[in-house]
């Protein structure tokens, strides 16, 4: 996508997400179980490129200063993400003019890439070329296809922010990159709640929902405590066949969030005429939302994978939401877990 009046920085989708943490081998195993293949390695440093479909993940084994410091502060974490842009140098200048803070590229995995300070001190790279060009190939397209569970691309990438900071971050993405506010949710469980503001970039590809707690006990606050700061809560990956993807993930031992059985007794009433195989939906614990003119959205979440960070598996059938109805259901299911673990008490 070229630069336009609304897309001044020439944004063109997510390029990659970078992860780091003290147990890189464990993280690598989890990525492989989720269908990602190590396709290339940094020529001199312990940094690996994982790929599946059009999704790129970078696993940085504390091989650069920022990753190493980030891992010490946050444990297993997402220390960076990258936006594709038309002209990185120009986008960087514009971003700084609009108030973005520069980060030190020399301390990152990609010293020749302009980088901004992102959520929770993570890196926000601006990419206009193939940054993996000089990397050492590890395996070919055949191995990649064989290991795939069917993920296509990053659908959205959700941040958890501190109380009172949602507007700080919606403003950050609006002012600097021209994001617009898409959907706003006010989600209440039995004892806790959260606000969620979905932001969408002018390229219509980069979607970043922002979550903020309504109290000091919710799952968002628990994340902030465990992660020791704000950051990426979950990364949603698309599939063209969620049933097959989920069945492959289960066969590989990837743990997915459970849903109470009664949820499935209510699906036909909540989403009339959905046309899905209800028994396969129930068996796989896949969630469904939308209905009628809104189309259908199918989704399921993994258990916490990297520290408190988890993944979402999503298939859109004409629905451009985030599973509003399921958001409530998910919130309640996590809250029920919190109640069982004694983290929160219901009066
Ligand atoms: Fe999501």
């Amino acid at each position: 996508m070229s630069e336009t009046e609304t897309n001044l920085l020439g944004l063109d989708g997510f390029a990659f997400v970078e992860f780091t943490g003290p147990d890189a081998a464990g993280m690598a195993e989890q990525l492989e179980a989720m269908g990602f293949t190590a396709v290339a390695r940094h020529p001199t440093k312990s940094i690996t490129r994982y790929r599946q479909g059009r999704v790129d993940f970078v696993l940085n084994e504390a091989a650069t200063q920022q990753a190493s410091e980030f891992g010490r502060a946050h444990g297993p974490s997402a220390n960076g993400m990258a936006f594709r842009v038309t002209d990185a140098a120009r986008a960087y200048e514009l971003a700084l003019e609009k108030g973005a803070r520069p980060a030190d590229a020399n301390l990152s995995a990609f010293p020749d890439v302009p980088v901004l300070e992102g959520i929770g001190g993570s890196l926000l790279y601006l990419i206009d070329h193939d940054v993996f060009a000089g990397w050492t190939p590890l395996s070919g397209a055949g191995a990649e296809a064989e290991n795939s569970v069917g993920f296509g691309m990053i659908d959205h990438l959700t941040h958890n922010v501190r109380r009172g900071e949602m507007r700080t971050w919606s403003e950050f993405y609006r002012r600097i990159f021209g994001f617009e506010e898409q959907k706003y949710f006010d989600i209440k469980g039995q004892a806790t709640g959260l606000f969620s503001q979905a932001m969408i970039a002018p390229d219509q590809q980069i979607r970043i929902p922002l979550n903020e707690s309504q109290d000091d006990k919710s799952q968002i606050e628990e994340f902030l405590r465990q992660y020791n700061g704000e950051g990426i809560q979950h990364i949603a990956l698309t599939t063209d066949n969620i049933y097959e993807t989920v069945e492959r993930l289960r066969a590989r031992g990837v743990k997915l969030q459970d849903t109470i059985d009664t949820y499935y007794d209510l699906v036909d009433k909540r989403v009339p005429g959905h046309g899905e195989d209800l028994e396969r939906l129930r068996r796989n614990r896949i969630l469904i939302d939308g209905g009628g003119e809104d189309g259908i959205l199918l989704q399921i979440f993994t258990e916490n994978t990297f520290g408190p960070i988890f993944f979402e598996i999503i298939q859109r059938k004409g629905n451009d939401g985030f599973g509003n109805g399921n958001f409530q259901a998910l919130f309640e299911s996590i809250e029920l877990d919190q109640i069982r673990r004694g983290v929160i008490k219901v009066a």
Side-chain angles (χ1 to χ4, degrees):
M1 175 168 291
S2 59
E3 291 157 37
T4 62
E5 236 169 84
T6 50
N7 190 5
L8 283 174
L9 272 67
L11 293 174
D12 188 21
F14 290 106
F16 62 79
V17 180
E18 181 177 344
F19 298 102
T20 192
D23 176 21
M27 293 175 88
E29 251 173 56
Q30 283 170 297
L31 287 176
E32 277 155 23
M34 285 195 299
F36 288 88
T37 301
V39 294
R41 194 153 177 92
H42 189 284
T44 57
K45 296 185 167 82
S46 293
I47 310 173
T48 310
R49 176 193 189 185
Y50 285 82
R51 192 160 168 84
Q52 180 171 189
R54 284 186 286 151
V55 184
D56 272 303
F57 286 157
V58 173
L59 181 58
N60 187 330
E61 298 181 32
T64 52
Q65 192 177 326
Q66 184 270 347
S68 152
E69 286 170 3
F70 204 90
R72 270 202 299 278
H74 303 281
S77 48
N79 62 306
M81 64 173 178
F83 292 167
R84 222 173 271 116
V85 295
T86 316
D87 178 339
R90 181 177 148 74
Y92 181 70
E93 286 309 314
L94 281 171
L96 294 186
E97 268 173 38
K98 290 166 192 282
R101 283 207 292 258
D104 189 346
N106 290 315
L107 308 182
S108 82
F110 303 94
D112 61 340
V113 168
V115 62
L116 305 169
E117 194 179 302
I119 182 80
S122 64
L123 299 175
L124 208 179
Y125 299 97
L126 302 169
I127 306 275
D128 65 1
H129 65 283
D130 178 8
V131 293
F132 304 107
W135 290 35
T136 312
L138 295 177
S139 52
E144 195 187 321
E146 200 172 314
N147 189 39
S148 171
V149 298
F151 287 133
M153 56 189 289
I154 296 175
D155 183 272
H156 61 273
L157 188 158
T158 297
H159 297 350
N160 281 348
V161 306
R162 291 187 200 283
R163 293 175 76 188
E165 297 298 328
M166 178 188 279
R167 291 295 146 214
T168 309
W169 286 99
S170 63
E171 236 344 75
F172 173 84
Y173 287 112
R174 190 194 64 75
R175 192 178 69 244
I176 295 163
F177 299 99
F179 280 58
E180 286 179 2
E181 294 183 356
Q182 195 183 11
K183 316 234 174 193
Y184 180 81
F185 306 124
D186 180 351
I187 293 148
K188 281 197 165 52
Q190 290 181 64
T192 64
L194 68 86
F195 302 114
S196 186
Q197 173 69 65
M199 304 297 293
I200 185 159
D203 67 351
Q204 303 295 309
Q205 297 182 78
I206 303 174
R207 284 184 276 217
I208 302 182
L210 305 166
N211 290 337
E212 178 184 319
S213 183
Q214 295 188 13
D215 51 77
D216 62 4
K217 294 190 182 63
S218 76
Q219 59 194 262
I220 307 304
E221 290 299 302
E222 201 180 0
F223 174 100
L224 295 172
R225 279 194 296 274
Q226 190 184 343
Y227 200 66
N228 195 22
E230 299 178 316
I232 292 172
Q233 178 210 37
H234 74 266
I235 297 160
L237 303 168
T238 66
T239 168
D240 290 335
N241 188 332
I242 196 166
Y243 301 100
E244 284 184 9
T245 297
V246 167
E247 284 161 10
R248 279 184 219 164
L249 288 171
R250 286 194 192 287
R252 289 159 178 230
V254 173
K255 292 200 169 64
L256 299 158
Q257 284 183 18
D258 201 2
T259 301
I260 48 171
D261 203 52
T262 46
Y263 172 93
Y264 296 94
D265 300 336
L266 302 169
V267 163
D268 287 342
K269 193 176 169 198
R270 190 166 64 83
V271 191
H274 54 75
E276 295 297 318
D277 179 342
L278 189 57
E279 274 320 298
R280 203 172 176 193
L281 204 69
R282 181 196 295 264
R283 197 164 62 240
N284 283 301
R285 287 341 211 198
I286 293 166
L287 304 170
I288 180 168
D289 202 26
E293 287 178 2
D294 291 340
I296 298 287
L297 178 153
L298 300 169
Q299 64 187 164
I300 186 168
F301 302 85
T302 68
E303 290 187 354
N304 290 356
T305 306
F306 297 146
I309 300 174
F310 57 92
F311 292 84
E312 174 180 348
I313 299 106
I314 185 169
Q315 183 176 9
R316 296 183 183 276
K317 297 185 173 179
N319 183 290
D320 68 349
F322 295 90
N324 190 7
N326 288 328
F327 215 151
Q328 181 73 37
L330 168 73
F331 193 84
E332 285 172 9
S333 70
I334 297 178
E335 195 184 63
L336 184 62
D337 180 58
Q338 286 183 300
I339 291 166
R340 284 177 184 156
R341 286 184 288 119
V343 177
I344 50 178
K345 287 188 178 64
V346 183

